[in-house]
Amino acid sequence: MAEKKAKNPLKITDLTFRDGHQSLLATRLRTEDMLPIAAEMDKAGFHSMEVWGGATFDVPHRFLGEDPWDRPKKLKKVMPNTPFQMLLRGQNLVGYRNYPDDVVEAFVEQAAEVGIDIFRCFDAVNDERNFETAFRVIRKCGKHIQGSICYSLTERKMGGPVYTLEYYLEKARIIEDMGADSLCIKDMACLLAPDDAYTLVKALKETVKIPIQLHTHYTSGFGSMSCLKAAEAGVDIIDCALAPFAMRSAAPAVEPMVVTLEGTDRDTGLDLRHLLKLGDYFESIAPKYRDFYTPTKMAVIDTGVLVHQIPGGMISNMVSQLREQKALHRLEEVYEELPQTRKDLGYPPLVTPTSQIVGVQAVLNVLFGRYKFTTEETKGYVYGLYGKPPVPISEEIQKTILKGYKRGETPITCRPADTLEPELEKAKEATKGIAKNIQDVLIYALYPTTGMQFLKWKYGLEPMPDRVKPKTMEDIKREDELIERAKRGELVEAPKAG
């Protein structure tokens, strides 16, 4: 007898090839280790697979010696059946500043050309004006627009002065009216509590007609519980990763979610045995990436985030900054200052690049006095170069931070990109004689210094250093043999460089 199909199967987007290794292995998974399993991943039946975006443009060209445009092109050849998805930082694209419209247009067109089907667009301050150009070009290319709302809090749970239920519903209405094909709740810091997940998804389903997707992590321990409550509330799609690249600061694992929903109206229909086979492959290559493991704590979750709500990467940046100033003993003062700095700056969500802006400024406020020193990024943020903050910044703070600012002392109110001059032709001129196509030009346009260095490696103008060459399983075996000999007290010569 044929198995009964679920009335409303929950769809799964797999993050293994992007956010999974970005969260756990500093984005170091190489294309050569994706290709052997890609055809089997294609058979899994995922709604989509996130294979690109975020740091997977920056890290490959900078640290892996890989052309970032090659990854989706190569994967598409062996994965023709599963839609490819990417994470696009709105007007920031896959960089760390707002780029002018001509660069955004060219980038989105090329991303569609190399195989991206679904563009998940988000903005660090939830300023939908930073979606306008990307949305227009994605639509022109005939691809799927997924608008995102960065989930943030000022209290322990949803509510307070800014991030209320109505705040999220209003953002959802705006994004739908802009022409988005679906909506993503982007819970980057895993702050979405299970009951709030149910409340939010249920209300969104009653407010907008487009499909709702939930992206969360496992950092605080909420991840799987929030996904389950969202499923009960009717969410259409959730993000998961295969177990080897799940949990900790990555996404919930797909395998237990499949079994949990088995036989219910939300049964995913995914084959557990096939998923286990995929996981076995990633376990087999894991030793190649062990230098990036972080087994520094027994706990697999960061319960501290339930109190301070500070993303892990933001904490590590602040610790590094304090250590350089020989002031690590003042970390608790920074924790106390951070909420006030964030309030002063209009309560932005703590996600790249606003998390870095707020964190660095909080450290400076503790070390030297409040706003005695301000970074160029803080000034640019208050001036409006990143968009409109969720809450207006007081005139007093504006005057203090923008005093003597080179661009002016009165913040702009227009769309930030309207202040930017075109850059694409300048990038073409700067790469003349090296770049062979528009994709090469865009590598430089987004990352002028490291991009130019990569292009020289790519075309043999400079030798590629050993540090960007891949580590093989043979290398791992040799390292293990040296370690075992050292344990036995044998004299071991240090391996020769190169």
Side-chain angles (χ1 to χ4, degrees):
M1 191 164 101
E3 289 185 16
K4 188 177 179 182
K5 189 170 177 170
K7 289 182 182 177
N8 184 21
L10 181 66
K11 297 173 183 176
I12 304 287
T13 289
D14 177 76
L15 307 182
T16 304
F17 279 178
R18 206 286 297 178
D19 203 0
H21 68 102
Q22 180 168 324
S23 294
L24 300 182
L25 300 179
T27 328
R28 291 311 201 272
L29 189 63
R30 291 176 175 271
T31 306
E32 66 179 33
D33 286 324
M34 299 179 186
L35 288 171
I37 197 65
E40 292 301 311
M41 295 286 280
D42 196 38
K43 296 174 186 176
F46 295 123
H47 165 72
S48 64
M49 279 187 61
E50 190 184 63
V51 301
W52 213 49
T56 64
F57 199 93
D58 181 5
V59 172
H61 90 270
R62 191 190 300 252
F63 300 114
L64 307 182
E66 287 188 18
D67 187 327
W69 296 102
D70 282 349
R71 180 169 295 175
K73 282 190 282 190
K74 289 177 178 177
L75 289 172
K76 201 71 170 178
K77 290 177 182 177
V78 287
M79 301 181 68
N81 303 307
T82 306
F84 279 6
Q85 187 163 314
M86 80 164 291
L87 182 67
L88 191 79
R89 300 184 185 118
Q91 203 79 23
N92 283 195
L93 298 176
V94 287
Y96 306 105
R97 66 177 177 91
N98 276 354
Y99 297 94
D101 286 340
D102 63 337
V103 174
V104 174
E105 291 167 4
F107 183 89
V108 171
E109 288 170 355
Q110 291 305 307
E113 184 70 25
V114 299
I116 302 303
D117 303 294
I118 301 170
F119 290 78
R120 174 178 290 170
C121 300
F122 82 92
D123 180 66
V125 292
N126 287 331
D127 186 341
E128 58 277 353
R129 296 175 302 171
N130 290 329
F131 292 155
E132 289 177 9
T133 301
F135 274 27
R136 173 173 54 78
V137 185
I138 296 165
R139 187 180 301 111
K140 185 182 79 172
C141 293
K143 302 298 184 178
H144 182 109
I145 302 168
Q146 183 170 90
S148 300
I149 310 171
C150 290
Y151 186 80
S152 191
L153 298 171
T154 57
E155 319 298 309
R156 191 168 296 178
K157 296 292 233 12
M158 184 167 59
V162 186
Y163 297 106
T164 61
L165 178 61
E166 185 50 44
Y167 170 89
Y168 292 111
L169 298 183
E170 179 58 24
K171 288 294 179 183
R173 293 186 194 102
I174 292 169
I175 288 171
E176 182 178 49
D177 288 345
M178 290 178 71
D181 300 300
S182 62
L183 175 73
C184 177
I185 306 163
K186 182 174 168 55
D187 178 27
M188 57 281 174
C190 194
L191 299 177
L192 179 62
D195 56 337
D196 285 339
Y198 183 90
T199 300
L200 179 56
V201 169
K202 194 169 189 304
L204 284 170
K205 292 295 291 181
E206 294 168 355
T207 302
V208 297
K209 296 182 175 62
I210 55 178
I212 308 296
Q213 184 156 356
L214 174 60
H215 170 90
T216 188
H217 288 247
Y218 206 79
T219 318
S220 69
F222 280 155
S224 295
M225 294 188 289
S226 295
C227 282
L228 186 58
K229 293 301 289 184
E232 292 175 3
V235 79
D236 298 280
I237 315 153
I238 62 170
D239 288 359
C240 291
L242 292 168
F245 284 163
M247 317 292 271
R248 297 189 184 270
S249 58
V254 63
E255 298 89 343
M257 194 63 64
V258 167
V259 176
T260 299
L261 297 173
E262 195 173 285
T264 72
D265 287 346
R266 306 304 318 267
D267 193 323
T268 65
L270 300 183
D271 182 347
L272 178 63
R273 292 186 182 277
H274 187 72
L275 297 176
L276 295 177
K277 183 170 71 173
L278 298 175
D280 287 343
Y281 169 80
F282 288 104
E283 290 290 358
S284 76
I285 63 166
K288 293 173 66 173
Y289 298 95
R290 64 186 180 189
D291 291 347
F292 299 100
Y293 296 171
T294 54
T296 54
K297 292 179 68 176
M298 182 174 288
V300 298
I301 60 173
D302 176 11
T303 49
V305 79
L306 296 170
V307 178
H308 56 60
Q309 299 183 355
I310 305 170
M314 188 174 172
I315 292 175
S316 61
N317 285 340
M318 292 189 303
V319 167
S320 174
Q321 198 180 358
L322 288 168
R323 185 176 285 120
E324 286 177 9
Q325 296 293 324
K326 295 182 172 50
L328 195 54
H329 60 286
R330 304 190 70 179
L331 182 60
E332 286 303 318
E333 293 177 62
V334 174
Y335 282 160
E336 290 177 15
E337 168 62 24
L338 193 75
Q340 184 59 49
T341 302
R342 186 184 179 215
K343 180 181 179 181
D344 290 345
L345 298 181
Y347 286 115
L350 297 178
V351 63
T352 302
T354 50
S355 56
Q356 291 89 334
I357 293 170
V358 174
V360 171
Q361 191 58 54
V363 170
L364 292 176
N365 286 353
V366 167
L367 294 179
F368 305 108
R370 306 200 77 243
Y371 305 110
K372 297 296 183 185
F373 292 93
T374 52
T375 65
E376 281 298 304
E377 289 76 17
T378 299
K379 291 174 183 176
Y381 171 85
V382 173
Y383 185 70
L385 295 183
Y386 293 86
K388 183 181 177 182
V391 173
I393 298 171
S394 72
E395 286 189 20
E396 181 185 358
I397 294 293
Q398 287 179 13
K399 287 179 181 178
T400 299
I401 292 176
L402 294 180
K403 185 177 181 180
Y405 183 47
K406 61 187 178 184
R407 290 177 178 266
E409 297 185 1
T410 303
I412 59 172
T413 57
C414 63
R415 185 180 71 107
D418 289 341
T419 68
L420 302 177
E421 294 292 327
E423 293 179 13
L424 196 59
E425 290 305 316
K426 293 177 184 176
K428 289 178 181 177
E429 186 62 31
T431 55
K432 186 181 286 187
I434 298 177
K436 300 288 192 288
N437 51 50
I438 187 63
Q439 292 173 5
D440 286 345
V441 173
L442 285 165
I443 292 173
Y444 172 84
L446 268 61
Y447 294 97
T449 303
T450 59
M452 179 62 81
Q453 178 65 76
F454 171 75
L455 292 176
K456 290 176 180 178
W457 293 344
K458 179 179 177 180
Y459 294 114
L461 300 176
E462 290 184 8
M464 189 176 290
D466 288 342
R467 65 177 176 81
V468 301
K469 293 177 181 175
K471 183 179 284 190
T472 67
M473 291 303 289
E474 287 70 26
D475 295 331
I476 297 297
K477 288 176 183 176
R478 281 195 295 272
E479 287 177 3
D480 287 343
E481 287 170 5
L482 289 170
I483 291 168
E484 288 304 314
R485 290 178 64 190
K487 284 180 180 177
R488 293 194 296 268
E490 298 177 11
L491 181 64
V492 179
E493 291 184 11
K496 293 179 181 177

